[in-house]
Amino acid sequence: NHLMTMEEVLKIKKEYERLTLNERVQHLVLLTSFIVLAISGFMVEIPASWVSALRLDYPTLFEIRGLIHRIAAVILILDSLYHLGYLGLTPRGRWQLRELLPRKKDLIDLIQVVKHYRNPNEPMPKFDWFNYKEKAEYWALVWGNIVMPATGAMLWFEQYTPKLFLDIAVIVHTYEALLAVLAIIVWHFYNA
């Protein structure tokens, strides 16, 4: 029995690249545009007294805020379209899409995890490349990237949107944004 040298450890240690450089850049663009969208979007929801206290009540700031929000939205949409192309046109993208599809094993894994948390003697399941939580988060992102641009376009081009649909778009856009931010803070940051 001897302690292993670093060379010996490196020989047996397997490393798996979770995300390629291309995928990391996609994620960075998504992350950056999401943060900008969250900050610039929620500025509308800040109470007027806070706006004044934070010195955000300059008239041009809200015009700039709207422009920044729209630019970030276009960047997020372009990143999403690029991601769709990546999923459909590259072998790794097609493989990832197949791996992200829900399977019966995901439900079995969830049940096994619950059993483990109830009784630590129960084994944790062996997960696939993406586990059930990652798949749920990914498909929630897909849903959000459909709902937010659709409602955002209605708000952006309000002159072409009937009043009823505009009112619904405001509600859906606001609450979906709140849900997305909370999901990232509570779910994604914790799990990732």
Side-chain angles (χ1 to χ4, degrees), residues 2-86:
H2 74 285
L3 294 175
M4 293 177 70
T5 65
M6 184 55 75
E7 291 80 22
E8 291 172 317
V9 170
L10 291 175
K11 281 182 185 177
I12 62 169
K13 182 179 178 185
K14 291 182 181 179
E15 290 190 20
Y16 297 97
E17 183 179 57
R18 184 73 169 164
L19 299 173
T20 64
L21 177 60
N22 184 320
E23 294 158 1
R24 289 191 301 267
V25 170
Q26 289 178 54
H27 192 266
L28 180 63
V29 172
L30 174 69
L31 164 85
T32 307
S33 59
F34 180 85
I35 290 170
V36 171
L37 284 164
I39 292 170
S40 60
F42 284 127
M43 283 179 70
V44 174
E45 302 298 325
I46 297 174
S49 59
W50 292 15
V51 171
S52 296
L54 295 170
R55 304 246 184 236
L56 299 173
D57 53 354
Y58 299 109
T60 55
L61 182 63
F62 259 67
E63 293 170 21
I64 293 170
R65 181 219 56 87
L67 178 63
I68 290 170
H69 192 76
R70 288 173 176 91
I71 290 170
V74 168
I75 290 170
L76 183 100
I77 291 166
L78 291 174
D79 187 50
S80 298
L81 293 173
Y82 178 86
H83 181 68
L84 277 175
Y86 180 79

Side-chain angles (χ1 to χ4, degrees), residues 107-125 132:
L107 180 59
I108 294 167
D109 287 349
L110 172 61
I111 292 167
Q112 188 60 40
V113 166
V114 171
K115 285 180 180 178
H116 171 76
Y117 286 142
R118 291 182 66 210
N119 177 5
N121 293 327
E122 289 282 337
M124 282 291 277
Y132 65 92

Side-chain angles (χ1 to χ4, degrees), residues 107-176:
L107 180 59
I108 294 167
D109 287 349
L110 172 61
I111 292 167
Q112 188 60 40
V113 166
V114 171
K115 285 180 180 178
H116 171 76
Y117 286 142
R118 291 182 66 210
N119 177 5
N121 293 327
E122 289 282 337
M124 282 291 277
K126 292 194 184 327
F127 297 117
D128 291 333
W129 187 261
F130 297 109
N131 65 41
Y132 65 92
K133 292 186 283 187
E134 293 165 327
K135 291 177 182 185
E137 190 175 357
Y138 180 82
W139 292 109
L141 170 71
V142 169
W143 168 255
N145 278 355
I146 293 168
V147 170
M148 294 304 283
T151 56
M154 294 166 90
L155 298 172
W156 190 348
F157 302 105
E158 63 184 293
Q159 67 274 22
Y160 304 112
T161 308
K163 175 78 167 94
L164 174 65
F165 293 121
L166 198 58
D167 291 343
I168 293 169
V170 167
I171 293 167
V172 171
H173 200 79
T174 301
Y175 285 110
E176 178 67 21

